[in-house]
Amino acid sequence: MYILDSSAFIHDFHTTEQTATIPLVREELEDESAYRYDAMEGSGMHIHIPNEDTTEKVRRAAKESGDLDVLSDTDIRLVAASFELDGTLVTDDYAMQNVAEKLNVEVEVIAREGIDEQRHWHYQCQGCGREFDEQKDRCPICGSELARKNPS
């Protein structure tokens, strides 16, 4: 089963396999992509609402990987739905791909290349330059903001 992100509707993704998505995806769509969602829902696409335990598990995984601050509630719930339904997540979002991989959820990309490796982000203070493994609101040393930094 394919679990569809908004990019699947925007790029007119086609499959003969069963499909599913979550209601929040419909709110992100406009014009033709919204009509595609409605048509697929009318022709049998499963609308799934993931449970809160799974959603919280995805949030924890996203926090561990450093992707939580760039994922929307819709993104988190899509990964949770893919996890619960043991489906393949269809998305072009790199942060969603990273978290999905951390949870052993299969991913299929549409318009872009997929990720090559899972990343665990680091955070660097914009003031003193110190690096941290976990995201914090402010640097505990100098109080400046932290920025997400590629670990490579």
Side-chain angles (χ1 to χ4, degrees), residues 6-15 32-33 36 40 110:
S6 57
S7 59
F9 299 100
I10 292 167
H11 295 289
D12 200 14
F13 176 79
H14 289 282
T15 182
E32 288 181 26
S33 57
R36 286 187 197 105
M40 288 181 72
I110 305 165

Side-chain angles (χ1 to χ4, degrees), residues 2 6 12 16 23 42 51 62 88 105 107 110 113 119 127-130 135 145:
Y2 286 108
S6 57
D12 200 14
T16 57
N51 71 53
T88 300
V105 171
V107 175
I110 305 165
E113 291 184 25
R119 292 192 177 155
C128 66
R130 286 193 172 87
Q135 181 183 13
E145 290 187 19

Side-chain angles (χ1 to χ4, degrees), residues 30-80:
E30 298 175 349
D31 305 325
E32 288 181 26
S33 57
Y35 296 130
R36 286 187 197 105
Y37 180 104
D38 294 341
M40 288 181 72
E41 181 180 14
S43 64
M45 177 176 65
H46 176 69
I47 305 300
H48 184 76
I49 299 174
N51 71 53
E52 285 304 315
D53 290 342
T54 308
T55 302
E56 188 53 39
K57 179 178 186 159
V58 172
R59 277 192 182 90
R60 284 192 305 271
K63 185 174 184 179
E64 288 173 14
S65 70
D67 293 299
L68 185 60
D69 60 329
V70 296
L71 291 175
S72 68
D73 189 48
T74 302
D75 298 338
I76 290 166
R77 291 180 185 280
L78 272 166
V79 175

Side-chain angles (χ1 to χ4, degrees), residues 19-38:
T19 57
T21 193
I22 62 172
L24 291 172
V25 168
R26 177 61 172 85
E27 296 173 17
E28 295 182 348
L29 302 173
E30 298 175 349
D31 305 325
E32 288 181 26
S33 57
Y35 296 130
R36 286 187 197 105
Y37 180 104
D38 294 341

